[in-house]
Amino acid sequence: MPSIPSNWDVIVVGGGAAGLMAALELPEGLSVLLLSKDRAPRSASRWAQGGIAAVTRPEDSFASHLQDTLKAGGDLCDRPAVELLVREAPACVERLLELGMDFDRHEGGLSTTLEAAHSHRRVLHAQDRTGGALVDALERKVLQRPGLQRIQGGLALQLWISNGHCRGLQVLVDGTVQWLQSRAVVLATGGAAHLFANTTNPKQASGDGIAMAWRAGAAVRDLEFVQFHPTALMLPGAPHFLISEAVRGEGARLVDDQGESPVSQLSGGDLAPRDTVSRALVQRMRERQTPHLWLDLRPVGTSKLERQFPTILGRCRELGLEPTEAPIPVAPAAHYCMGGLRTDARSATTIPGLYAVGEVASSGVHGANRLASNSLMECLVYARQLRDIELSPAPSARPEPLPGKAMTNHPPISVEAIELQTEELRRLCWRRAGVERNGHELLAGYQACQQLEGALSGQPLLQTVQTLGHDQALQLSQEQVRWLAKAHDLKQRATVAALLMESALFRTESRGGHFRVDAPARQPFWRRHSVQRKGLSISTEALAD
């Protein structure tokens, strides 16, 4: 019955920059399964326009990059984690050049640009599709790795935990639910910004890796901190396409419908940290009673726009906009989750044998607010730590799995109803836990998410899959596969949304990407991480200084 081998050295879940780099950096000689849930490459990494931050210019320094990151992070970063990122970043740039990454050049060297809250021009680009170029470069190399098998369209359902150790996971591949055993699992599943109705992220950014690991007992940290990017394109019926901060670094300006700046009062103006810019835009939108503001790209100049930002211009023109002639409509949208699975300097979670890299992880680098273009570099630096991964002893060969109990009855909830519930959950998250929050709204949202998760948990097919024995496999019909994928996705979303709202309700202050109108000040005694574990009350832990 199984279509793929049941034993592996390492299973990597996720096909974006973090997953690809992890697969590349694992020690040689291992059998590696690279699993991604979509057949087409739609990771958030591929959508990243901005760039990759690293000290490459003589006037820049590690100390400056460190201080910029700590300052943007709202005094909640783990300093050793940031030091590791800053110190290893230049070597990662060299590694990418070896892999064929086509960075922009200027006068024979690497071209750099300035982005918000950076004190130097240290952000490297490949025009305005840096994420796509990065994923392309990594994919070319990873497919050449001996012993690696890539499966696209495979859905990770739950982790295999035995005696407190991660021993593999349960997957849905080609209509079969089965267990795969491994000596380690690396989660590179991305963040959870698609929980929100207004987001720059693809639908794959649903938080499923966070939900899966939390359910298995892993510690989750700082989920209340969500970065809302100030400038997502806002047209009715169109995707909320990100307009990179780099255009403001090159001179683009935010304006309201009167032509006035909504950020003139901020230190740094258009290039102030993203959380303060997003709040300023939301406040001005409320004052002007308008669903969006405007971004004027004309100060950049037509030739530079055509040369450096062809993707942005192309997307705008597809939608009937001409940025070289008039400002374009923008508004804040959920963009990046600073919190995630608590990891250490080895990218290890709190469950032995389980690792996490990229946006799914809380490495301590980003604190309460991510510094622009640090995220792609974090993927690379922390994936490189897997060169020293600790593997459990090789498992013995397993017999062919037994057929599980066949499911013949039709699910009581239709796929269409699940899709409607998913969209309603996204609207709920935006309404209750968006740019501006308050305790009353968060409590109502938390209770609604818990209720939804509880209702889904009682669905017969989800229960059957959840309790499937490690020696069993389950063959599903095409209709059941479609239903399971949708229902599982909604359940994972409800789990992470509940955790996010619980942590936002718990933190009675405002800091970085978490702003509460009923607790607008930063409090010194809240300079601690929030920590959530299944079965335990939410708590805090000290920063690593």
Side-chain angles (χ1 to χ4, degrees), residues 66 70 75-83 221-222 342-345 362-365 382 527-529 541-545:
L66 173 72
L70 294 175
D75 210 21
L76 208 71
C77 302
D78 286 337
R79 188 184 182 97
V82 181
E83 288 174 342
R221 187 168 67 178
D222 293 343
R342 182 182 179 274
T343 55
D344 62 17
S362 170
S363 66
V365 163
Y382 280 85
R527 188 177 175 261
R528 296 176 66 83
H529 297 296
E541 70 177 18
L543 307 189
D545 289 325

Side-chain angles (χ1 to χ4, degrees), residues 172-177 474-477 481:
L172 170 61
V173 177
D174 293 334
T176 300
V177 178
L474 185 65
Q475 191 72 40
L476 301 179
S477 67
V481 166

Side-chain angles (χ1 to χ4, degrees), residues 26 66 104 223 287 311 328-329 363 370 422 439 453:
L26 288 166
L66 173 72
D104 292 346
L223 273 192
E287 291 168 7
T311 306
I328 59 176
S363 66
R370 174 180 70 100
T422 301
E453 184 190 9

Side-chain angles (χ1 to χ4, degrees), residues 246-253 296-305 308-309:
V247 299
R248 282 178 282 140
E250 297 298 334
R253 293 292 173 257
D296 190 351
L297 279 68
R298 293 173 296 181
V300 179
T302 300
S303 61
K304 183 176 276 192
L305 284 171
Q308 289 187 215
F309 306 107

Side-chain angles (χ1 to χ4, degrees), residues 332-380:
H335 181 56
Y336 189 88
C337 295
M338 276 70 75
L341 302 176
R342 182 182 179 274
T343 55
D344 62 17
R346 301 176 301 114
S347 299
T349 72
T350 55
I351 297 177
L354 180 64
Y355 296 79
V357 177
E359 195 173 348
V360 69
S362 170
S363 66
V365 163
H366 303 303
N369 189 31
R370 174 180 70 100
L371 181 66
S373 292
N374 264 354
S375 53
L376 285 176
M377 183 54 75
E378 182 202 23
C379 290
L380 306 176

Side-chain angles (χ1 to χ4, degrees), residues 448-513:
C449 292
Q450 280 198 314
Q451 186 176 4
L452 175 58
E453 184 190 9
L456 287 165
S457 296
Q459 295 298 308
L461 182 51
L462 285 175
Q463 285 185 330
T464 298
V465 168
Q466 182 70 32
T467 57
L468 190 70
H470 295 133
D471 60 346
Q472 293 182 313
L474 185 65
Q475 191 72 40
L476 301 179
S477 67
Q478 203 168 2
E479 179 189 3
Q480 289 170 330
V481 166
R482 183 164 175 254
W483 186 92
L484 178 59
K486 296 283 187 181
H488 176 78
D489 176 68
L490 179 56
K491 183 182 176 184
Q492 303 292 68
R493 286 172 180 267
T495 297
V496 180
L499 289 169
L500 189 156
M501 293 197 203
E502 182 187 39
S503 60
L505 187 61
F506 177 65
R507 185 176 289 273
T508 51
E509 66 152 2
S510 292
R511 186 186 296 264

Side-chain angles (χ1 to χ4, degrees), residues 15-18 20-21 24 40-43 45-48 52 96 99-102 126 129-144 150 376 380:
L20 292 167
M21 194 68 175
L24 274 179
R42 296 175 185 161
S43 70
S45 304
R46 189 175 282 278
W47 288 27
I52 298 175
L96 291 179
L99 295 174
M101 178 72 177
D102 189 20
R129 60 172 303 272
T130 307
L134 172 62
V135 171
D136 289 344
L138 295 177
E139 278 186 330
R140 284 193 298 269
K141 194 69 175 178
V142 81
L143 295 176
Q144 300 170 13
R150 184 179 190 181
L376 285 176
L380 306 176

Side-chain angles (χ1 to χ4, degrees), residues 224-486:
E224 63 269 34
F225 296 109
V226 178
Q227 187 172 88
F228 296 92
H229 198 288
T231 53
L233 192 65
M234 285 290 158
L235 280 177
H240 302 305
F241 178 69
L242 173 73
I243 307 299
S244 169
E245 202 159 57
V247 299
R248 282 178 282 140
E250 297 298 334
R253 293 292 173 257
L254 289 158
V255 293
D256 63 16
D257 55 349
Q258 301 295 307
E260 298 175 356
S261 171
V263 293
S264 58
Q265 78 283 11
L266 302 179
S267 174
D270 286 273
L271 290 176
R274 289 175 178 177
D275 59 312
T276 55
V277 174
S278 287
R279 285 198 298 277
L281 299 194
V282 167
Q283 288 161 11
R284 183 62 60 90
M285 286 158 60
R286 187 165 54 240
E287 291 168 7
R288 305 295 305 171
Q289 295 185 327
T290 177
H292 60 75
L293 295 176
W294 302 92
L295 183 65
D296 190 351
L297 279 68
R298 293 173 296 181
V300 179
T302 300
S303 61
K304 183 176 276 192
L305 284 171
E306 297 281 4
R307 185 173 66 253
Q308 289 187 215
F309 306 107
T311 306
I312 291 173
L313 290 186
R315 185 65 65 91
C316 287
R317 287 164 177 165
E318 287 171 7
L319 296 169
L321 301 172
E322 183 44 72
T324 63
E325 296 179 0
I328 59 176
V330 296
H335 181 56
Y336 189 88
C337 295
M338 276 70 75
L341 302 176
R342 182 182 179 274
T343 55
D344 62 17
R346 301 176 301 114
S347 299
T349 72
T350 55
I351 297 177
L354 180 64
Y355 296 79
V357 177
E359 195 173 348
V360 69
S362 170
S363 66
V365 163
H366 303 303
N369 189 31
R370 174 180 70 100
L371 181 66
S373 292
N374 264 354
S375 53
L376 285 176
M377 183 54 75
E378 182 202 23
C379 290
L380 306 176
V381 168
Y382 280 85
R384 293 197 86 189
Q385 307 314 303
L386 297 175
R387 291 174 295 178
D388 301 315
I389 192 170
E390 293 182 17
L391 302 177
S392 62
S396 56
R398 297 167 58 211
E400 289 285 305
L402 303 170
K405 178 185 176 184
M407 299 290 295
T408 54
N409 56 321
H410 292 284
I413 305 176
S414 69
V415 167
E416 291 72 25
I418 291 172
E419 290 174 340
L420 289 173
Q421 287 180 312
T422 301
E423 291 309 305
E424 176 53 38
L425 176 61
R426 296 182 64 217
R427 288 190 292 271
L428 175 82
C429 288
W430 183 254
R431 193 168 63 247
R432 307 288 195 191
V435 176
E436 295 182 332
R437 303 164 171 175
N438 69 67
H440 175 74
E441 295 281 341
L442 289 166
L443 179 60
Y446 171 62
Q447 291 170 338
C449 292
Q450 280 198 314
Q451 186 176 4
L452 175 58
E453 184 190 9
L456 287 165
S457 296
Q459 295 298 308
L461 182 51
L462 285 175
Q463 285 185 330
T464 298
V465 168
Q466 182 70 32
T467 57
L468 190 70
H470 295 133
D471 60 346
Q472 293 182 313
L474 185 65
Q475 191 72 40
L476 301 179
S477 67
Q478 203 168 2
E479 179 189 3
Q480 289 170 330
V481 166
R482 183 164 175 254
W483 186 92
L484 178 59
K486 296 283 187 181

